[in-house]
Amino acid sequence: KAGVTQTPRYLIKTRGQQVTLSCSPISGHRSVSWYQQTPGQGLQFLFEYFSETQRNKGNFPGRFSGRQFSNSRSEMNVSTLELGDSALYLCASSPWDRGETQYFGPGTRLLVL
Amino acid sequence: GDSVTQMEGPVTLSEEAFLTINCTYTATGYPSLFWYVQYPGEGLQLLLKATKADDKGSNKGFEATYRKETTSFHLEKGSVQVSDSAVYFCALSDLNAGNMLTFGGGTRLMVKP
């Protein structure tokens, strides 16, 4: 099976712009989660989608949003980018239920100038 | 809320040395516990997991035992190799929080020939 794929892998944006990141889960996986990784804050949970519904949300401002499509692919959007949004954004998928192992993609590295 | 604390790095060892990376957790329920590894420029790879007390997870020579009485999940390897150099993350997943992973701060391991 192909692993979790994320596009694009690298992105440079300027403050105030918006960005959309894409994640394709492992075939058959229905849960997709997003995480932000920064040197200062480490790995922080953004949100989880299951069957097109947001099941859980981390402590991030409303500028961070996401969605999941019927084929389980997911996108996350960040509006009005700030310098502090520079990070590695990781997507993870898991097969079905709660507590199952999550499999991570390679991440999208976002640099905000 | 749930939290994970792991020893700060970097940990520098010579090849064939014994490795221990300490991890303790706080959780209200009965979490599943994980160790993930991140190589430079890559996403997270699952190293091993344990889903209940006294379970031992193992993979590629690494081991960790779920200790409920001490709320710990320490990672060990009897003989490290240069190729084990990476950042190691301890994480928990609480069934009450969907598939959200709570991560420790990560421990960088450097193995010298």
Side-chain angles (χ1 to χ4, degrees), chain A residues 25-74:
Chain A
I26 292 171
S27 178
H29 286 196
R30 294 179 61 180
S31 167
V32 174
S33 299
W34 289 88
Y35 296 83
Q36 182 196 64
Q37 185 177 24
T38 60
Q41 300 298 317
L43 281 154
Q44 293 186 286
F45 171 78
L46 281 156
F47 27 65
E48 181 205 0
Y49 287 87
F50 181 81
S51 293
E52 302 179 65
T53 301
Q54 188 180 86
R55 185 157 68 173
N56 208 345
K57 189 178 191 306
N59 189 24
F60 278 81
R63 300 185 297 107
F64 292 81
S65 63
R67 59 178 176 169
Q68 185 180 34
F69 302 96
S70 59
N71 61 358
S72 293
R73 190 177 70 85
S74 177

Side-chain angles (χ1 to χ4, degrees), chain A residues 73-104:
Chain A
R73 190 177 70 85
S74 177
E75 289 181 347
M76 67 162 280
N77 184 276
V78 188
S79 63
T80 319
L81 284 165
E82 300 177 359
L83 296 179
D85 298 332
S86 295
L88 180 66
Y89 290 89
L90 292 164
C91 168
S93 74
S94 62
W96 178 262
D97 211 342
R98 300 163 190 268
E100 293 224 25
T101 299
Q102 293 190 57
Y103 298 88
F104 284 81

Side-chain angles (χ1 to χ4, degrees), chain B residues 82-95:
Chain B
V82 173
S83 57
D84 294 326
S85 298
V87 181
Y88 292 81
F89 292 92
C90 183
L92 69 81
S93 174
D94 189 328
L95 290 180

